[in-house]
Amino acid sequence: MRTCGFSLLLALAFLALHHGVCHGGQLKKIFYLKSCPRAETIVRNITWSRVAANPALPAKLLRLQYHDCFVRGCDASVLLDSTNGTSAEKDAIPNRSLEGFDVIDEIKAKLEVECPLTVSCADILALAARDAVSFQFGRAMWGVLSGRRDGRVSLASEALDNLPSPASDFNTLKQQFADNGLNIPDLVALSGAHTIGVAHCVVFTRRLFNFTGNNDSDPSLDPGYAATLKAQCSSPRNTVAMDCNSSSSFDSHYFVALSQNQGLFTSDATLLTDKHAANFARFYQKFNVFLAQFGHSMKKMGAIAVLTNNEGEIRKNCRAVN
Ligand code: HEM
């Protein structure tokens, strides 16, 4: 019976991997082969040495790429600083906890010496996020196509409008991902990024202390886990591990925790409320299955509304338009 169920899920995963909106057709494998042959090696070397010194970095860079791609596509708009009179994406409330900008700056500076005005900040971000997560494994965990160009616009209001809230219900998430060409298996697998990193208590504190306005906790949260989180969240500024006991390892433990009602945000827990999504969440408890879908979904996410060919520009400095 168990084997039957597993085969069905395998078939479902196969379908999920091979069915989905395609975009970013202009991106290429080893795009910089001729124009900057050492580009990918430089990105990897700097990223790996920074991760070796700071194990929290993979989560920062992975989240940075997601926040870039969901707002105006993967055009490095999240890296631009605010200018006189314009508040940029990075200053929108959900982005104020982003980190890792300095790593992108270091890589960009080195690449500007190696091959000036050639490698886009958007590509650097996509490669560095992949490499940071891959450090733990010593090899690239998914393929990254390149050839993205950098945008010239970054607006805080667009980040607020387009980034899903951690309080979102399933249908809202499904719609926001669909708006970006991402389907339910993508939504579930990409949520698995919460297998690494930390969250500030303020983000989910309502689930612990005041769910319906009666000093109660969200009943969909495991009571023991809720008690642990309450103790950790004595101040809203505290941070907690997103994947309890396993948040520095990129693995499939997020889905095990989810199945035990230990998803940290409403947006995590809600994945179990849809039959289709819950099936994928169960399936991704197997690391190899999760990894195959995660790599596929990252490729799709990394291709959202990309600028290519003569669109946009190759920034000299990732924090400012040329
Ligand atoms: C499904 C919708 C999602 C929502 C509502 C969401 C929301 C959040 C929130 C509120 C935080 C905590 C930030 C903080 O308190 O500092 C967080 C952290 C994080 N998110 Fe998501 N997220 C979503 C999807 C994703 C995706 C698709 C990725 C990447 C592919 C991702 C990667 C991360 C990572 C790695 C962290 C930890 C960051 C750190 O350690 O600083 N998230 N997310």
Side-chain angles (χ1 to χ4, degrees):
M1 195 57 200
R2 231 179 109 71
T3 324
C4 272
F6 188 62
S7 312
L8 175 69
L9 286 171
L10 257 183
L12 275 174
F14 182 82
L15 278 175
L17 283 172
H18 292 86
H19 187 79
V21 181
C22 291
H23 40 187
Q26 313 271 14
L27 299 181
K28 294 194 174 60
K29 225 173 155 179
I30 352 186
F31 179 83
Y32 298 107
L33 188 63
K34 290 200 176 116
S35 59
C36 193
R38 285 183 4 100
E40 294 205 11
T41 308
I42 288 171
V43 175
R44 191 197 56 206
N45 289 348
I46 294 177
T47 306
W48 280 16
S49 79
R50 295 289 296 257
V51 174
N54 175 12
L57 196 55
K60 311 296 177 202
L61 291 174
L62 190 55
R63 183 165 181 242
L64 199 52
Q65 189 194 355
Y66 157 59
H67 281 221
D68 180 33
C69 294
F70 263 57
V71 185
R72 277 189 176 260
C74 313
D75 66 343
S77 50
V78 74
L79 302 180
L80 288 170
D81 285 344
S82 294
T83 54
N84 281 348
T86 314
S87 180
E89 285 173 31
K90 63 167 58 155
D91 289 324
I93 287 173
N95 281 342
R96 288 191 193 155
S97 54
L98 290 177
E99 292 178 42
F101 299 102
D102 55 322
V103 180
I104 306 299
D105 289 341
E106 185 183 337
I107 298 169
K108 180 63 173 168
K110 174 94 180 160
L111 285 173
E112 281 306 296
V113 173
E114 177 89 5
C115 6
L117 293 174
T118 305
V119 184
S120 68
C121 299
D123 279 346
I124 294 172
L125 181 50
L127 290 164
R130 187 271 313 270
D131 291 341
V133 172
S134 300
F135 175 76
Q136 171 193 339
F137 303 92
R139 66 186 171 89
M141 298 307 276
W142 60 88
V144 172
L145 301 179
S146 316
R148 297 169 190 80
R149 292 173 61 88
D150 300 324
R152 295 193 180 96
V153 176
S154 179
L155 299 169
S157 56
E158 292 186 341
L160 270 180
D161 289 347
N162 294 306
L163 290 167
S165 149
S168 304
D169 62 14
F170 182 76
N171 282 331
T172 308
L173 290 177
K174 183 178 153 190
Q175 189 55 52
Q176 283 184 295
F177 274 64
D179 291 345
N180 287 300
L182 299 168
N183 58 22
I184 291 177
D186 296 319
L187 163 63
V188 180
L190 291 171
S191 296
H194 290 168
T195 191
I196 51 172
V198 295
H200 291 82
C201 291
V202 66
V203 167
F204 56 89
T205 197
R206 205 177 141 249
R207 287 192 87 196
L208 302 179
F209 297 108
N210 200 13
F211 191 61
T212 63
N214 293 318
N215 298 329
D216 53 344
S217 300
D218 182 343
S220 75
L221 198 58
D222 171 75
Y225 183 50
T228 307
L229 290 173
K230 278 183 173 175
Q232 290 175 318
C233 287
S234 51
S235 154
R237 282 189 299 274
N238 291 357
T239 57
V240 305
M242 304 253 290
D243 178 15
C244 197
N245 297 328
S246 168
S247 74
S248 52
S249 157
F250 189 87
D251 53 28
S252 53
H253 187 264
Y254 166 86
F255 295 103
V256 177
L258 198 61
S259 74
Q260 295 165 349
N261 298 321
Q262 296 183 7
L264 190 57
F265 305 143
T266 298
S267 61
D268 297 308
T270 198
L271 299 176
L272 298 182
T273 63
D274 174 79
K275 221 173 94 189
H276 197 44
N279 266 339
F280 283 105
R282 193 160 50 246
F283 198 31
Y284 298 157
Q285 288 184 34
K286 283 205 175 301
F287 181 63
N288 289 343
V289 179
F290 165 52
L291 186 64
Q293 177 67 46
F294 189 77
H296 174 76
S297 300
M298 283 299 289
K299 211 165 171 179
K300 282 173 75 177
M301 189 182 89
I304 296 171
V306 288
L307 304 172
T308 54
N309 298 322
N310 296 325
E311 296 165 328
E313 63 184 22
I314 304 294
R315 267 178 232 152
K316 189 170 174 50
N317 168 356
C318 293
R319 292 174 182 269
V321 297
N322 290 343

